[in-house]
Structure formats: C-alpha cells, structure tokens
Amino acid sequence: MPDQPILRLGTRRSPLAMAQAYETRRRLCAAHGWDESAVELVPVVASGDKVQDRPLAEIGGKALWTRELDHWLIEGRIDAAVHSMKDVETIRPDALAIAAILPRADKADRLLGAGSITDIPQGARVGTSAPRRAAQLLHLRPDLTVVGIRGNVATRMAKLEAGEADATFLAAAGLDRLGEDAVGARLDPQEWLPAPAQAAIGIESRSDDTRVRDLLRVIDHAQSHAEIAAERRLLEGLGGSCSSPIAALSHIRSGKITLSAAIFSPDGNVRIADEIEFAADDDKAPLELARRLLGQAPKEVTRHFGERP
C-alpha cells in the first residue's frame, strides 16, 4: 500500500459525479493492479451545483461545472479531474487535455411521468432547463408547456413528485450509474437525439504531465474517445453553447463514424437535421456537417450559435 496516493482525482461532490469518480478509480486500480488507496478522490462543490434556480446560460454556462476543478488541476492540487463530457466546454485551456474517455454508457434520455412523448397528456407541463430537450419536445408536441427545473437527479425526481411538472427527462446513463435503472421510459436515441457527448466520462490532466497521461491512457476506450471527439468537433463547428439547441448521435463501426445531428429554434418550430459518415481520424468531417446544418438554417436558428472555425 503506498504511503502517498499515486493519483489525486478531482471530482464534483454531487452523487452522480462521485459515482463516476468511483468508477474511474475502479478501472484505474484494476488496470494497474493497485490497491484502492493508490487513487485519492478529492471532491469540490462546483459553482453549477450551488446555483440551481436558474438556467446555466444565465449564470455562466458550462464553465460552472469545470471552473473549480480547472483551477485545482492547473495549480497542482489534483493530478486529474473526472467530468461528464456533455458538461465540459467545447474549447478548453491549452494547459489541460482530455487524457481518457471511459467506455460510453447508454446514450439515451429517459422520460419520467409518461410512457412516451405521445403519451404525455395534452397541455401538460414538462420540466427541463436543457434547450435541446425543450426544443425537441416542442417540435414534436407544441401543445406542451416547458417549465424550467434544474438540480441533480434526486432533486429533479423530487420536484416531479412534488408536482412542479407533470413529466421530465433524465439521462439514462446517469440513472444507471446511480442504480436507478428501472426509472423512466427509455427514448430511442435514433428518434430522440441525445446531447453531444452524453453518457461519456472523461478524465482530464495537465497537458505537460506525461506521468499522469501515461497512467490514464490505459483506461482510455478508443471507440468512445473517437465518438466524443467527433461530437465535440461538431459543437466547435456550430459555435454551440449551453444555450444552443443541439442534438447529436454518433456510432463507430469498422473505423467509420456515422454522425447524426439536429439543430432547432428554441421554440421547436424549426428543425434542421443531417448526417455524415467519415473515417474516425477525420476531424474535418464534423465541421463540414456543421456547415451544412447552418447553411440550411434560417436566422431564427443561426442567431443562437456563436463563433465558428
């Protein structure tokens, strides 16, 4: 048993984030033959966990999930940070690098409060603060009312139980990681596209820390890493932010990635969808898909997208 931990892993303190950190530690210890004490978990309360009564776009965007961990990592207080990749800003500091992506879990959303989108009662209130979910829902069911709810998995389930909404959405992967695999109705991700990078756990290190990057590389899942890189490259091409209604789904087979994506107007009235197939090492193809989507989109959609390469 080492006197000092070999790795200090930073993580948000929420129950789901801790579950993801435990999974990362298990995989590292199994891969290297370490005792559990070799990997120390260092929790932090992220800004995004402190403010839960307003949409992320109003209070600082995705950086609220990573800000504290970024500082600790750059300062050397931790060696690596565990993230839900869908919550990580598209453009990261040069000093940091995504060193590993764990095998991706179920990419689907689950619907709580009804058996399907069709089964949601006429005029019901559906709780979500995600622009993608809101726009996709209103595109299919313009009769529904979207009400904003935020918080961790338990908080949102409690708000639904308290009647703050008639239905809501949660990521299947998060529910599964918390042992809530029987909760909600799974929505087919081919029909209800998930968020870019949904269901992926990423581990970030300092770019120049070769020791840590080498230790993390052994748990990197190449297929999942390629999918996440493609979806994040699409976000870069779209100039997407946490306020941009973007949905995406990728699959890799025999070295080829199929990337499907849709962008929306916030009210769901306009949906632009397209897909592209390309070699897994082609980082230009997702940008081409982004250009095609934006080229077909009217101003009521494109004004919700920012600077693009």
Side-chain angles (χ1 to χ4, degrees):
M1 182 180 298
D3 294 331
Q4 297 293 328
I6 296 171
L7 277 177
R8 295 162 299 163
L9 282 182
T11 175
R12 286 168 50 206
R13 197 184 291 272
S14 74
L16 178 55
M18 292 301 299
Q20 295 177 162
Y22 291 137
E23 179 179 344
T24 303
R25 179 167 66 182
R26 284 194 301 272
R27 290 181 180 275
L28 278 166
C29 291
H32 290 288
W34 295 339
D35 185 88
E36 190 176 275
S37 62
V39 180
E40 178 186 359
L41 301 186
V42 185
V44 60
V45 178
S47 300
D49 291 316
K50 297 173 187 175
V51 182
Q52 298 191 353
D53 60 347
R54 285 173 287 166
L56 285 179
E58 294 182 7
I59 55 176
K62 288 185 177 181
L64 295 176
W65 300 127
T66 59
R67 179 183 300 155
E68 287 82 4
L69 288 171
D70 287 354
H71 290 163
W72 285 19
L73 190 48
I74 290 169
E75 291 168 3
R77 297 169 65 181
I78 55 176
D79 301 307
V82 181
H83 297 297
S84 291
M85 287 306 300
K86 73 179 180 64
D87 294 332
V88 176
E89 311 98 290
T90 309
I91 306 300
R92 302 295 287 140
D94 290 339
L96 304 179
I98 303 297
I101 301 289
L102 301 190
R104 201 170 184 182
D106 188 353
K107 303 167 188 175
D109 274 343
R110 288 204 205 134
L111 175 64
L112 283 67
S116 68
I117 300 297
T118 304
D119 290 340
I120 301 173
Q122 185 85 9
R125 298 163 303 140
V126 180
T128 182
S129 291
R132 168 191 64 93
R133 287 171 172 155
Q136 199 160 202
L137 177 70
L138 292 172
H139 179 74
L140 296 171
R141 291 287 308 273
D143 61 291
L144 300 176
T145 299
V146 173
V147 295
I149 60 171
R150 278 193 56 223
N152 62 32
V153 170
T155 298
R156 281 185 274 173
M157 290 173 68
K159 288 182 177 181
L160 183 63
E161 186 69 23
E164 293 187 26
D166 301 306
T168 192
F169 303 97
L170 287 167
L175 288 166
D176 290 346
R177 287 169 181 146
L178 290 171
E180 300 283 3
D181 51 293
V183 170
R186 185 179 186 271
L187 302 177
D188 184 344
Q190 299 282 356
E191 299 175 2
W192 176 274
L193 290 173
Q198 185 156 306
I201 299 171
I203 304 94
E204 197 167 40
S205 69
R206 290 180 292 278
S207 300
D208 60 0
D209 194 334
T210 55
R211 178 189 78 90
V212 171
R213 294 185 71 171
D214 286 345
L215 290 172
L216 295 173
R217 188 173 292 117
V218 299
I219 62 169
D220 184 49
H221 188 253
Q223 176 174 321
S224 298
H225 204 141
E227 289 182 0
I228 298 310
E231 292 174 24
R232 286 173 60 80
R233 187 69 161 157
L234 172 72
L235 284 175
E236 183 182 351
L238 289 170
S241 70
C242 64
S243 61
S244 307
I246 305 169
L249 178 68
S250 65
H251 297 285
I252 183 168
R253 294 183 184 87
S254 304
K256 290 274 193 178
I257 293 178
T258 300
L259 176 59
S260 305
I263 58 177
F264 301 80
S265 59
D267 60 9
N269 281 342
V270 180
R271 178 184 187 267
I272 308 295
D274 204 342
E275 73 173 35
I276 193 169
E277 184 179 75
F278 53 96
D281 59 355
D282 181 358
D283 68 349
K284 301 296 184 186
L287 299 180
E288 172 59 26
L289 179 59
R291 281 191 287 269
R292 283 174 11 195
L293 289 166
L294 292 170
Q296 300 173 59
K299 187 174 181 181
E300 62 200 280
V301 173
T302 57
R303 64 190 178 90
H304 298 284
F305 295 82
E307 295 298 321
R308 296 170 288 279

